[in-house]
Amino acid sequence: MNHLKKGICGIIVLTLCAGMLTGCGGKQETAETESTPAAEVSAASDAAAESLSEAQESADEAAAKEKLTAFLEGCKNHDLDAILSVADYGGLYQALEGDAFDEAQFRQNLEAMLCDSFESYSVGELTSSYQDLVTFNGNVSSFLREMEEEPEVPDDEETLRLIGYAKQTMKPADNRCAFAVTVNAGGTETTDDLVMLRCGDTWQLDLVTETATRIYQNRMYNAGQQQE
């Protein structure tokens, strides 16, 4: 149980604290050498590779922001299809409810949960770094390994469905972009980070944290019931 808690907490902390990890490096002294044609070619190649990487990052940031904006517009305009094209709430809630899942009721509940929760919004600066992606992927891989271990208390049906959903959908991301999103509700502004994940060519709102947290909460509840 402690191992599971550690893996999930890693995912949650990273999601809530996107952009707070920083890296530092020391200065290095190098001897000056005379440039050679080969060295110049190598330097040019390195510069081209760095430029290409920066261009990819810029394109990824723009694509992630576009998808996040589509999600927020969906929430604002009661467009459930737009919401579900960016966030797999349907898959998550089918895993939660199993045979009791009702599509019409689900859409009604989703609208009540996400729509009309704010009057306006703004998507701010990118708050995540490459190191956040590396750490996130490490936590996801660790969590999935932990799902292969036998729990201290047998899982109930809901937890087993959630684990199946996690194994099917949760995977290391090709990129991760967190943005500071400010919403205005009733004259009160609040700002939180919202995270987008790219797997292949597809950007989706991050539901990893919610899935992992529900599995952990279920296992903690089951363990508590066993002790009573």
Side-chain angles (χ1 to χ4, degrees):
M1 183 67 68
N2 288 336
H3 293 300
L4 177 62
K5 182 176 181 180
K6 182 178 180 181
I8 292 176
C9 285
I11 295 173
I12 295 173
V13 168
L14 180 60
T15 300
L16 296 181
C17 301
M20 303 211 38
L21 300 179
T22 58
C24 57
K27 294 182 179 179
Q28 295 182 343
E29 295 182 359
T30 58
E32 291 185 4
T33 59
E34 184 178 350
S35 295
T36 65
E40 291 173 358
V41 170
S42 177
S45 297
D46 290 344
E50 182 177 351
S51 177
L52 181 62
S53 176
E54 290 176 355
Q56 179 62 52
E57 286 300 311
S58 178
D60 268 5
E61 180 181 343
K65 191 170 186 177
E66 181 180 358
K67 279 288 190 177
L68 176 58
T69 301
F71 170 79
L72 292 167
E73 282 292 304
C75 294
K76 183 179 175 182
N77 298 321
H78 291 250
D79 187 347
L80 295 182
D81 290 333
I83 293 172
L84 294 173
S85 72
V86 182
D88 186 29
Y89 285 109
L92 175 58
Y93 279 83
Q94 285 184 55
L96 280 167
E97 299 177 13
D99 292 339
F101 179 81
D102 178 85
E103 177 73 22
Q105 186 64 51
F106 158 71
R107 293 177 72 90
Q108 182 178 332
N109 292 342
L110 186 67
E111 184 172 9
M113 179 177 69
L114 295 179
C115 300
D116 280 340
S117 58
F118 56 88
E119 289 83 47
S120 62
Y121 70 87
S122 62
V123 180
E125 296 297 318
L126 186 75
T127 60
S128 55
S129 68
Y130 176 74
Q131 184 56 48
D132 294 331
L133 171 65
V134 173
T135 305
F136 178 83
N137 283 344
N139 286 333
V140 167
S141 296
S142 176
F143 175 77
L144 291 175
R145 284 195 301 272
E146 289 161 6
M147 291 298 94
E148 300 296 333
E149 300 175 2
E150 289 293 329
E152 296 175 9
V153 177
D155 290 319
D156 58 21
E157 289 300 317
E158 179 182 293
T159 306
L160 289 173
R161 291 194 302 269
L162 284 169
I163 291 172
Y165 173 75
K167 289 179 177 179
Q168 184 180 26
T169 61
M170 200 182 291
K171 62 185 71 174
D174 294 312
N175 206 347
R176 176 184 184 276
C177 290
F179 296 92
V181 175
T182 300
V183 299
N184 185 308
T188 300
E189 288 191 345
T190 57
T191 301
D192 289 300
D193 281 351
L194 287 183
V195 178
M196 302 295 295
L197 300 174
R198 178 172 67 80
C199 293
D201 296 328
T202 303
W203 283 97
Q204 286 277 296
L205 186 73
D206 172 27
L207 294 182
V208 167
T209 302
E210 183 170 354
T211 304
T213 301
R214 286 177 181 272
I215 291 171
Y216 173 63
Q217 289 175 337
N218 283 3
R219 285 190 165 180
M220 289 295 291
Y221 176 79
N222 291 338
Q225 291 291 100
Q226 180 97 0
Q227 293 173 1
E228 291 181 357

